[in-house]
Amino acid sequence: MSRRDLFPPIEPYAAGTLAVDARHTLYWEQSGNPRGVPVVFLHGGPGAGATPTHRRFFDPASYRIIIFDQRGAGRSAPLGELADNSTAHLVRDVEVLRRYFAIERWVVFGGSWGSTLALSYAIAYPAHCRALILRGIFLCRQSEIDWFLYGIRQVFPEAWRAFAAPVPEGERGDLLTAYYRRLTDPNPAVHLPAARSWSIYEGACSTLLPSADTVTAFGEDRMALGLARIEAHYFRHEIVAPEDDLIRSIDRIRAIPTTIVQGRYDMVCPIGTADELARAWPEAAYAVVPDAGHSAMEPGIRAQLVAASERLKRLS
């Protein structure tokens, strides 16, 4: 019977930091089998950071598991830094890490914003991608951002009211600008409450059923500040243009073995985007989980992700 849940917890066999420019230093770690199939985990957000649980999607006997925190996120420094922080910078960072670890080709695993980054990296460096595992598809398009800021209230009105409440009514027509101004305020008494409000909103909308643990994790100061500040920055400055830019580039990566996993009731990254990607890329395997939202930790989502990683263990 194929495995349907996460592997047991493991600790890294190596960890460190890598300065990628004069401003940014990335945290990285390796776990699993040093001689196994290399896989790089690209976390969501942008700005959410990685966690020990993310190691557990991969068989540690078969995979060399590389996890890192993207610029401004998690254990990378400086936390929440917006300067020199763009999609192009992050794509370059993934490639810098590949070279640093002397890996010729690796599996690239990315969920939510991580799917955007994984696609962007693969399009830029297709020869270095053995396979892609993509979850909760997000293409950072204006329509998707508008949904996050306003559309979700059609399904999660209570969460949206709590999200909008800190912003004066006269500013709610442009929540992104209102939040961006507060998130970039140097005073922690201003930016931390805004960060918690933004991040808790996302956490509250990320699961099919209410999850107090998810909301608590999203409300933690380091997670909230990295996630909210960097997301607002990308939403304001880093819209992929034109709207179908990544979709139009699929021919560059069409031959890369790819699995797309999507929750049917994903309210953070609605299924329409994944469906559009799958229709443009029929060579990719496409798994719709009928009883899941956005979170990678929902049972059906994690089962499909583990199954995908298991299928790729012997990929040449």
Side-chain angles (χ1 to χ4, degrees), residues 263-277:
R264 169 69 68 187
Y265 300 106
D266 187 334
M267 291 296 112
V268 176
C269 299
I271 192 172
T273 300
D275 182 74
E276 184 180 351
L277 179 64

Side-chain angles (χ1 to χ4, degrees), residues 125-144:
Y125 299 100
H128 298 304
C129 298
R130 289 178 180 233
L132 303 177
I133 301 175
L134 308 174
R135 189 267 312 166
I137 304 302
F138 179 63
L139 301 182
C140 206
R141 299 183 292 188
Q142 187 62 55
S143 56
E144 296 167 292

Side-chain angles (χ1 to χ4, degrees), residues 161-287:
R161 282 196 296 271
F163 173 57
V167 177
E169 193 167 350
E171 297 182 52
R172 292 179 192 170
D174 189 353
L175 284 170
L176 180 55
T177 296
Y179 262 98
Y180 185 78
R181 183 166 58 250
R182 290 161 175 81
L183 290 166
T184 55
D185 191 293
N187 185 352
V190 176
H191 66 240
L192 273 176
R196 290 189 202 102
S197 178
W198 177 295
S199 189
I200 287 171
Y201 168 62
E202 183 165 338
C205 300
S206 289
T207 54
L208 180 63
L209 299 176
S211 170
D213 289 345
T214 300
V215 172
T216 298
F218 274 72
E220 186 273 326
D221 283 356
R222 176 170 286 270
M223 163 75 158
L225 185 59
L227 176 72
R229 182 179 281 174
I230 297 174
E231 275 193 351
H233 167 70
Y234 273 68
F235 289 1
R236 188 174 171 89
H237 300 292
E238 281 293 317
I239 307 302
V240 175
E243 276 271 298
D244 58 353
D245 188 53
L246 290 173
I247 296 284
R248 289 171 57 187
S249 299
I250 291 302
D251 280 347
R252 286 184 54 81
I253 58 175
R254 191 173 296 281
I256 298 174
T258 297
T259 299
I260 301 166
V261 177
Q262 181 72 33
R264 169 69 68 187
Y265 300 106
D266 187 334
M267 291 296 112
V268 176
C269 299
I271 192 172
T273 300
D275 182 74
E276 184 180 351
L277 179 64
R279 285 187 290 113
W281 198 356
E283 297 86 353
Y286 180 38

Side-chain angles (χ1 to χ4, degrees), residues 8-56:
I10 53 170
E11 293 299 319
Y13 64 77
T17 60
L18 177 65
V20 287
D21 59 23
R23 192 185 307 271
H24 289 274
T25 299
L26 305 183
Y27 168 85
W28 59 264
E29 63 180 45
Q30 297 191 79
S31 56
N33 181 355
R35 293 173 296 282
V37 176
V39 58
V40 61
F41 182 94
L42 306 182
H43 66 69
T51 74
T53 303
H54 294 149
R55 305 168 193 149
R56 299 176 58 196

Side-chain angles (χ1 to χ4, degrees), residues 75-118:
R75 295 148 291 186
S76 293
L79 177 66
E81 179 59 61
L82 305 183
D84 301 326
N85 196 336
S86 69
T87 305
H89 286 101
L90 298 191
V91 167
R92 187 184 68 187
D93 290 347
V94 178
E95 180 62 6
V96 166
L97 283 164
R98 184 194 65 79
R99 295 176 184 176
Y100 179 74
F101 291 119
I103 292 168
E104 180 58 31
R105 297 167 67 238
W106 53 5
V107 176
V108 181
F109 181 116
S112 194
W113 158 257
S115 73
T116 321
L117 182 56

